[in-house]
Amino acid sequence: MSDKSGMQNDNRTRWLTLAGTILTQLALGSVYTWSLFNGQLSEKLGEPISRVALTFGILSLCLALASSVAGKLQERFGVRTVTIAAGLLMAAGFFLTAHSDNVIMLYISAGVLVGLADGAGYLLTLTNCVKWFPERKGLISACSIGAYGLGSLLFKFVCGHLLATEGLQNTFMIWGGVAMVMVIAGAMMMKDAPKQQTADVTREENSLNDNSNDSRDFTLAEAVRAPQYWMLALMFLTACMSGLYVIGVAKDIGQSLVKLDALTAANAVTVIAIANLSGRLVLGVLSDKMQRIRVISIAQIVSLAGMSMMLFTHMNETMFFISVACVAFSFGGTITVYPSLVSDFFGLNNMTKNYGLLYLGFGIGSIFASLVASLFGGFAVTFSIITALLIVSLVLSATIRLPNKSEAGHNTLQHV
């Protein structure tokens, strides 16, 4: 009787954790509306848009840095405490952003503080939730990261309305307050997932990937010694470089390359949000039905099609929206599938740490694309580099094999 009661409590706990994770991710995903603010911040600070837009690159880098240490934070403080702290830090960052009067303060408040808060909450809550549902890793990733994408769509309308009615300063303060309440409310519903049994993880992986029965539970130190880890890292960096760059400057691409008016070009934010969310849901669910590395290959092909349109065609309005949708769809799908993909390669128990280090590619990719664009003063060189990296990544995803832990020191490869 007590065992049955315990199972019911665990089941209730994990569904409450999922609900809290979704609520938290909705608030954290709001940072993807950043391009809405570049114009007004540029006017307020008297800085060119390119310098203001760098804020999002800094935010992405700090998001990745915070995500990379999320596992250690969870071990020491627990998922609930860290998530509450993230909500408070996010509110503080937006409050300081509202009162920023120079670009350096903007970089610190919106870039560093909001980025660190978002990263600490994002990866920690996602991986904790996935651990509660080892039998549905792809679906739960899709729900959690889909909520993150939906947050950008939801807050696009919220922030757009606030900008029109409340002004820039009040918008940041209200945004920070709403996000804080949502994150803290979500955190109160969460509980740390129990440690997974390696045997159970292995059986689940076998059913998807037809592995042999060797244990797949790599520590971070073991994972980084496998060449597959760095192959996955390069593929992830490339996906983030293409996705984050296009998301951050989509409106500017529409105005500069396609000669759209500002209002029409701003619709790219909505198109990106819908495509991003669709990629998370479609590819996330698909990843439970076929090999996840093949889902990544599909995402790479879609992104390559979008980047090729931007690079090799004379775009009209329709092609512009299709191309940014392709890149956003691929990016959303990739970051949804990757946590589970990393657990397929290196095990579920250390997923937060193993994925956390790899997640640095999120910030590095964003910053690298922004630096290339600013150094060479245009889109063409950046598009070319991204396209070349996508081709390399596609080759890697087609040839990568699962690592064999027992012989990792000898770089023995195992067929997926």
Side-chain angles (χ1 to χ4, degrees), residues 210-230:
D210 194 27
N211 293 345
S212 64
N213 290 322
D214 65 303
S215 171
R216 194 165 302 286
D217 195 12
F218 288 65
T219 64
L220 178 59
E222 291 168 336
V224 298
R225 288 199 292 268
Q228 292 91 331
Y229 190 85
W230 301 107

Side-chain angles (χ1 to χ4, degrees), residues 9-72:
N9 285 337
D10 276 351
N11 202 41
R12 179 175 178 271
T13 299
R14 72 176 190 162
W15 287 105
L16 268 176
T17 298
L18 174 61
T21 301
I22 288 173
L23 182 60
T24 298
Q25 296 280 356
L26 280 169
L28 297 178
S30 64
V31 297
Y32 278 82
T33 62
W34 185 259
S35 64
L36 293 175
F37 298 90
N38 285 338
Q40 289 196 33
L41 284 168
S42 175
E43 291 179 15
K44 176 187 175 182
L45 303 178
E47 297 282 356
I49 285 182
S50 59
R51 291 196 70 189
V52 172
L54 183 59
T55 307
F56 187 73
I58 296 170
L59 186 155
S60 299
L61 178 61
C62 291
L63 192 161
L65 289 170
S67 295
S68 70
V69 299
K72 289 190 177 294

Side-chain angles (χ1 to χ4, degrees), residues 168-188:
L168 187 63
Q169 181 171 307
N170 286 341
T171 295
F172 279 123
M173 294 180 69
I174 295 170
W175 181 7
V178 171
M180 179 186 70
V181 170
M182 291 174 68
V183 170
I184 291 176
M188 298 305 294

Side-chain angles (χ1 to χ4, degrees), residues 80-160:
R80 182 178 294 173
T81 300
V82 177
T83 306
I84 290 172
L88 294 171
L89 182 60
M90 193 171 188
F94 279 126
F95 178 84
L96 292 173
T97 301
H99 296 88
S100 295
D101 56 8
N102 60 73
V103 73
I104 300 301
M105 188 173 177
L106 179 67
Y107 290 162
I108 294 170
S109 56
V112 176
L113 296 184
V114 175
L116 289 175
D118 208 270
Y122 166 72
L123 187 61
L124 180 67
T125 57
L126 163 65
T127 54
N128 180 68
C129 194
V130 169
K131 287 177 188 176
W132 273 111
F133 295 85
E135 78 285 5
R136 297 191 186 101
K137 292 190 289 186
L139 177 62
I140 297 305
S141 289
C143 289
S144 178
I145 303 181
Y148 192 86
L150 185 60
S152 67
L153 182 60
L154 172 66
F155 276 85
K156 187 260 183 184
F157 296 104
V158 172
C159 291

Side-chain angles (χ1 to χ4, degrees), residues 50 54 245 367-379 381-382 385:
S50 59
L54 183 59
Y245 179 68
I367 286 288
F368 182 62
S370 298
L371 288 175
V372 169
S374 61
L375 284 173
F376 293 98
F379 299 116
V381 174
T382 313
I385 291 174

